[in-house]
Every structure is written in structure tokens, then in C-alpha cells.
Amino acid sequence: MDTHMAAADEHMAEAIGRPDLIRVDDRLICLRFETMKVVSALAAVRQLLASGTVRRGDTLLDSSSGIYAYALALACHRYGMRCHIIGSTTVDHTLRTQLAVLGAHLEQMPPSCDLKLDQKRRVARVREILRTHPEYHWMRQYHDDVHYLGYRAIAERIHAVAPADGSPLTLVGGVGSGASTGALARYLREVRAAGADARDGAGGTDGVGGAGGAGGTEGAGGAGPVRLTGVQPFGSVTFGSEHVADPEIIIAGIGSSIPFGNVTHTAYDTVHWLSFRTALTGSVELLRRHAVFAGLSTGASYAAARWEHAREPGGTTVFIAPDTGHRYVDTVFARHREAADLDDLAPRTVSSLDDLAMPWSRMEWNGAPAPAQARARASVGTDAGAGAAREPA
């Protein structure tokens, strides 16, 4: 191999999955991806191949409303796999064309205004295909924690740029399937705990707290504690807001109408629930103030991150931007004149899920377990668990 080219990516998927770290304010950082789920899909397929669960040439199957379909198609292209996607009615012409050229087989559901029904149809079709083709591998992005693996390197990169002065590190992101925020928090807590243990062994400051749950590690000097803030739309069962309806839209990618196995509720310290219009304001303001063109869930995370960062002015806050804003040009950015001034918006702080209210609520979750509705079907397993999900993109 030409040594001058050794650092070049071997496949486009690797380049797409590498995020940028953009400082938008003092110690407020945007973790900006072109397509975040590529990180997850690449590592998942790589692990499945390494373990012998699948072989090159096998068919990988899953349901998706868009972003995961593209990510899995890229991973299959990279590793010589076949890709079969049961797509939502929301999959657009651009994505259909990309999937076709990449060699993925897309079956798209008929038009429906009921996204819950759309997902039920997709999962029913997945099961039908598996009965006919039991050799296909169902990726189960919502339930198989193999999708955590790709985020370890991202966590190490965040850790490397975070100040080692004992101050807290707050991670803010849309919950969705649970893989991105859950994995990043887990790995950040592990790597920062390892650093604290190393200091202890050298006579340094004692660390407090574990790597796996809310609060993370803690110490004066070196790596500080890791706090995880989850962002949710109203109407999502994941953190108990299913009784509050957003009249406009549930924000794609961060909510669900049924439990997901990859969501570890006890890892979260704080949860924000935001309306579509609040997220729209966040997206427009992020572009207007900082030239970051990102999706609607990023706008929600940006608003929540600004609020959390103001509460910890000496800490570092990192918010996740999982995709670009291209899908939202008409539905969000063309409506930029409707955006409020983000400085004029603030969440309503609540202590009970019964008190959640539009347009923005915030609650100290403090590592609590899943609410009843979010764990009611957890024991049923992945097949039933996926049955009525409102899909993270």
C-alpha cells in the first residue's frame, strides 16, 4: 500500500460517519454528523461478521423510515452484504434513488397518515419475509445492543477534547432507539472512570460514582462527572409523555410509541420534552447564529443544551447533531420567519410526568427506571417490541 495513502478512508461510509466537533460557544460543542447511524451500522455489521453470525453475501433485513436504511445500505455495500429494507411511506425520492443505486432492495409501505399503522405494516412484512427466508438476519436496530459498538471511538474523541479539570461533561441528544446517547454516555463514563482509577493508583484524587449509571464519574482534577440529558418529543412513550399530544408533529428520530430495548433509562440524569415549534426555533437559530445546518432533532438538542449549559457554566456541554438539514428545508427552514427568539424560550421544570406540558418541559430524571408504559412489553422481546414503534429515522 502507498504509505502516503495509508490514512485515506477505504469506503465512503467511513468518511460519512466521522463527526466534526464544532465549538458554538464557550465550552458548548456541537458533535455534528452527516449521517450518524452509519457509525452504528458499520460497527454492527463488522461485529456480526467477526462473530460468524453472518457471512459476506448474506442478506441483512430491517425496517426504517429513512436514515437507518441509508446507513445499513452503506454498511452492506462496504462489507459485501445484501440489504433488504422495509421502508416507511415517508422515504422520499432522493433516498429511494440512492438505495437503488447502492444495490439495496427497498419495499415501501403504501401512503398512510398514521405513522403507527405504517410501522405495524412494516414489522408485519419483516416477519413475513423471515418466515419465507429464515436465513436473512434481522438487524433489530431498536433492541440489539450490537448497535452500541460504533460509538466507543466517538466517546474517546469527545473525552480527548474535554477539559481535564474536574468540571462536569454534559452530553445532550435525542433518545430515539437509545443507542447513540446510551452508548456515548456508557463509554464516556468508562473511559473517565479508568482515568480516575489511574489517578487513584498514582495517589491522585478519589473518584466517586460508577461508569454505568446516571452521574458517571467524579473527581477534582482530571476527568469530571458525565451527565446525560435525553431529548424527547411530546407523545413519546419512552419517557412517559404519551399523554401530551403535539398538534403538529412528533419529531422524527427521537421518540417512540412503544418500548425500545436499547434505551437504558437509568443512564439519564435529565430529560427535556420539546414541541415541534420549539425544535424549529432551535434548528433555525443554530443555522442563523453558528451556520450549522442540521435536522429538527438537532434543533431540539441545541435548545436543551443551551439551557443545561447555562446551569453549569464551568462545565462542558456536547450536543449531538445526527444528520444534516436537507430533509427539513421545506418543513422547517422555509418557515424560518416563524421561529421565535430562543433567548425568550425556557422549559417548565416539573417533578412529575403528570405535569408535563407543551411547549417545553424539563425534569430531573436522576437515573430512575423506565416508566410503566415504557417497560410494559419489555419482557415480550424484540419481535413484539418492534410491532407498533414510531420509527427513529
Side-chain angles (χ1 to χ4, degrees), residues 26 30 40 108 128 152 156 182 211 216 258 263 277 300 334 354 377:
D26 184 31
C30 176
S40 179
Q108 189 169 9
E128 182 181 2
R152 181 180 290 277
E156 291 172 351
I258 61 108
V263 178
R277 285 186 174 269
D354 293 335
R377 296 173 63 186

Side-chain angles (χ1 to χ4, degrees), residues 19 39 148-160 184 187:
V39 175
Y148 271 47
L149 299 176
Y151 295 106
R152 181 180 290 277
I154 308 299
E156 291 172 351
R157 186 175 173 196
I158 295 171
H159 173 67
L184 286 170
Y187 295 139

Side-chain angles (χ1 to χ4, degrees), residues 53-333:
T53 303
V54 299
R55 296 176 297 178
R56 288 180 183 269
D58 285 354
T59 298
L60 305 183
L61 171 71
D62 215 343
S63 161
S64 174
S65 62
I67 296 301
Y68 185 77
Y70 181 51
L72 186 59
L74 286 170
C76 287
H77 190 277
R78 168 70 177 84
Y79 289 111
M81 316 291 291
R82 294 184 176 89
C83 181
H84 192 141
I85 297 294
I86 309 304
S88 169
T89 183
T90 59
V91 172
D92 61 20
H93 173 72
T94 299
L95 180 56
R96 286 196 301 271
T97 304
Q98 286 177 295
L99 293 175
V101 176
L102 285 168
H105 178 61
L106 170 68
E107 292 186 42
Q108 189 169 9
M109 293 295 101
S112 172
C113 60
D114 186 337
L115 294 180
K116 189 172 180 180
L117 175 61
D118 176 76
Q119 175 66 4
K120 285 182 177 179
R121 287 173 173 170
R122 281 185 277 146
V123 175
R125 178 57 182 151
V126 167
R127 292 175 179 154
E128 182 181 2
I129 292 170
L130 289 172
R131 284 193 295 270
T132 305
H133 295 283
E135 74 278 11
Y136 285 10
H137 181 81
W138 187 8
M139 291 298 292
R140 293 183 296 250
Q141 63 156 319
Y142 315 124
H143 305 282
D144 191 340
D145 64 4
V146 72
H147 291 91
Y148 271 47
L149 299 176
Y151 295 106
R152 181 180 290 277
I154 308 299
E156 291 172 351
R157 186 175 173 196
I158 295 171
H159 173 67
V161 302
D165 57 4
S167 60
L169 171 62
T170 301
L171 178 69
V172 182
V175 177
S177 69
S180 59
T181 51
L184 286 170
R186 175 190 293 179
Y187 295 139
L188 279 167
R189 286 165 177 164
E190 286 179 0
V191 72
R192 291 165 84 85
D197 290 344
R199 292 196 311 278
D200 292 347
T205 305
D206 288 342
V208 181
T217 60
E218 188 171 342
V226 176
R227 290 182 53 83
L228 178 58
T229 297
V231 176
Q232 284 275 277
F234 291 99
S236 172
V237 71
T238 309
F239 280 88
S241 68
E242 65 274 8
H243 60 290
V244 183
D246 187 333
E248 291 202 71
I249 189 172
I250 187 168
I251 303 168
I254 62 175
S256 172
S257 62
I258 61 108
F260 287 156
N262 275 338
V263 178
T264 304
H265 292 78
T266 54
Y268 294 83
D269 299 279
T270 309
V271 180
H272 285 248
W273 295 263
L274 295 94
S275 68
F276 170 81
R277 285 186 174 269
T278 306
L280 179 150
T281 293
S283 297
V284 170
E285 287 285 278
L286 184 60
L287 178 58
R288 180 177 288 143
R289 297 184 186 193
H290 305 293
V292 177
F293 183 49
L296 191 60
S297 66
T298 300
S301 294
Y302 173 56
R306 276 170 43 98
W307 185 262
E308 294 301 315
H309 192 59
R311 295 171 59 87
E312 288 278 5
T316 298
T317 303
V318 177
F319 66 96
I320 301 171
D323 62 357
T324 67
H326 294 88
R327 291 197 300 161
Y328 305 93
V329 169
D330 293 331
T331 56
V332 174
F333 294 101

